[in-house]
Amino acid sequence: MTIKTQPGFNMRPGSVVVLRVSPSHHRFASALECIEQLVKKGYGVWVFLHGPAVGPWLEHMPPAFVRWAEDDAVTVSVCQAAWHRSIRDASDQNPSGQTSAWVYPESSLIQMWQRILQAERVDVFGGGLWPSDWPEPKMDARGAYGVMIAYEADEADQLSQLEWVLAGSALELDLVVAFAHPELKPSRGPNAARWGQLLDHKLASVISKPQDMPTQVRFWMVL
Amino acid sequence: MSGTKITGDPDWALDADGHLINVDAWTQGFAQAIADQEGWVLNQDHWWLIDFVRDYFQTYGNPPLMRTVIGAYRTHKDDPSLGSASLYQLFSEHPIRQACRLGGLPKPDWCI
């Protein structure tokens, strides 16, 4: 199998597709369809697997991933932190198990953000959809980057969402984090303290009411 | 480096990345022992950085971002002109990661 280390970004307009669901989630198929459509439209697509998309299922590559490994238009990359945690967790459960046969390149969340900043188009397939009780977003190139937390995540997933935000903040981007409903904001346990650093250290704006939605946002990424 | 120890305390066993396995065994003596091994001379600013990273980790569960440390360091030194270069003068490679190591904290398992 040919393993690409560089996407076809130099020849094609760049697109980023972030996949944050596993194959069992109904949005997984939508993401694959989106990638196929982007390729047909002439995009070079950098696919980043993050959070819940990273798990043991990656050992058995879906046919589309195998096909894309031979396609210069698509590069699949996995979040290195999530992947190493997945390996560690699998090793803890089965210490004598086989080592990983993973062949896709690993990338950091910093690299994901850098790709996003350069891309002409960004699509995020996570567990949430834009909340119906929030106004339809309007894009404005002068605004911040918006991250909408739109579903109830488990503890590990909450951490992956926070790391997404912190990586953008590490690049000193202007960020606004919206919780679709106040109860989605971690309020107890270690994750509540972790999320607290965003406000304590002015790393991002945090809102949880539609009326607080900023008028100027470059684009929203719905996780 | 897995299984190695730093001289001075029987609990100072290190993991494969050279970080203290038993975080509760940390003392300033551990940081000094690591520094001695590396040939580093710790001054007040090194200790400020180690303490800041330890406090941040204990509050939030992860090390601070570089931008956060820079902001706090400017306040600490009362010098708004300071930037990341001033932290790299303390530790020439990965200053926050080194502060984690000397501070008895685990190696960050993320890439930020």
Side-chain angles (χ1 to χ4, degrees):
Chain A
M1 179 184 298
T2 302
I3 305 301
K4 304 189 305 297
T5 55
Q6 296 291 327
F9 267 31
N10 292 339
M11 283 77 78
R12 295 163 172 263
S15 167
V16 171
V17 174
V18 184
L19 198 47
R20 281 186 40 83
V21 290
S22 68
S24 61
H25 194 283
H26 67 276
R27 296 204 73 203
F28 190 86
S30 303
L32 301 190
E33 176 63 23
C34 173
I35 294 165
E36 298 283 11
Q37 290 301 319
L38 288 169
V39 172
K40 285 180 183 172
K41 290 177 182 174
Y43 282 96
V45 187
W46 189 73
V47 181
F48 186 65
L49 307 176
H50 180 245
V54 181
W57 67 270
L58 287 173
E59 299 285 357
H60 309 286
M61 287 180 284
F65 283 34
V66 176
R67 193 167 66 252
W68 291 333
E70 303 286 348
D71 187 341
D72 284 341
V74 182
T75 290
V76 179
S77 192
V78 66
C79 172
Q80 63 186 44
W83 179 239
H84 285 269
R85 285 174 191 156
S86 176
I87 293 173
R88 182 191 62 199
D89 292 347
S91 175
D92 288 347
Q93 292 170 12
N94 183 17
S96 59
Q98 295 289 314
T99 56
S100 169
W102 176 251
V103 292
Y104 288 112
E106 299 170 13
S107 297
S108 69
L109 278 165
I110 296 286
Q111 289 169 311
M112 180 202 73
W113 271 103
Q114 288 171 330
R115 294 275 188 188
I116 285 174
L117 296 178
Q118 296 169 8
E120 290 191 10
R121 175 180 170 140
V122 178
D123 292 275
V124 179
F125 290 86
L129 297 171
W130 186 261
S132 58
D133 53 339
W134 286 62
E136 280 299 310
K138 295 175 183 172
M139 309 307 177
D140 190 319
R142 294 166 296 179
Y145 293 89
V147 179
M148 171 65 79
I149 310 291
Y151 68 102
E152 188 172 351
D154 63 25
E155 199 164 300
D157 195 8
Q158 285 178 351
L159 182 57
S160 78
Q161 292 170 338
L162 175 63
E163 289 175 350
W164 177 298
V165 177
L166 288 174
S169 183
L171 294 173
E172 305 205 24
L173 301 175
D174 187 10
L175 298 172
V176 57
V177 178
F179 291 94
H181 306 289
E183 58 268 28
L184 292 179
K185 189 175 177 182
S187 59
R188 67 176 78 89
N191 277 345
R194 287 176 184 268
W195 280 88
Q197 67 190 296
L198 298 184
L199 290 178
D200 292 350
H201 294 278
K202 299 182 173 61
L203 301 176
S205 302
V206 179
I207 60 174
S208 57
K209 296 175 184 171
Q211 57 267 36
D212 295 333
M213 187 170 149
T215 55
Q216 295 179 344
V217 172
R218 284 173 194 261
F219 58 85
W220 283 95
M221 291 165 278
V222 184
L223 305 191
Chain B
M1 200 175 289
S2 181
T4 60
K5 286 186 177 179
I6 293 294
T7 304
D9 189 302
D11 288 336
W12 289 347
L14 306 178
D15 66 15
D17 297 306
H19 288 248
L20 187 63
I21 293 173
N22 178 10
V23 295
D24 294 329
W26 185 85
T27 64
Q28 288 192 338
F30 172 81
Q32 189 62 60
I34 292 282
D36 290 345
Q37 180 181 272
E38 297 285 353
W40 297 333
V41 177
L42 300 181
N43 62 30
Q44 288 184 336
D45 293 332
H46 291 97
W47 285 112
W48 174 88
L49 178 59
I50 293 167
D51 288 343
F52 181 81
V53 170
R54 278 180 58 82
D55 288 347
Y56 196 99
F57 192 96
Q58 285 165 1
T59 302
Y60 300 113
N62 56 255
L65 300 181
M66 176 68 90
R67 62 178 284 192
T68 302
V69 179
I70 292 169
Y73 195 53
R74 287 172 178 158
T75 302
H76 166 68
K77 301 289 284 183
D78 194 22
D79 184 351
S81 71
L82 293 176
S84 59
S86 57
L87 296 177
Y88 281 93
Q89 286 174 353
L90 299 178
F91 296 108
S92 59
E93 289 186 22
H94 309 297
I96 297 174
R97 187 177 298 178
Q98 296 296 0
C100 285
R101 191 159 75 96
L102 269 68
L105 303 173
K107 180 184 176 186
D109 72 341
W110 59 0
C111 42
I112 301 170

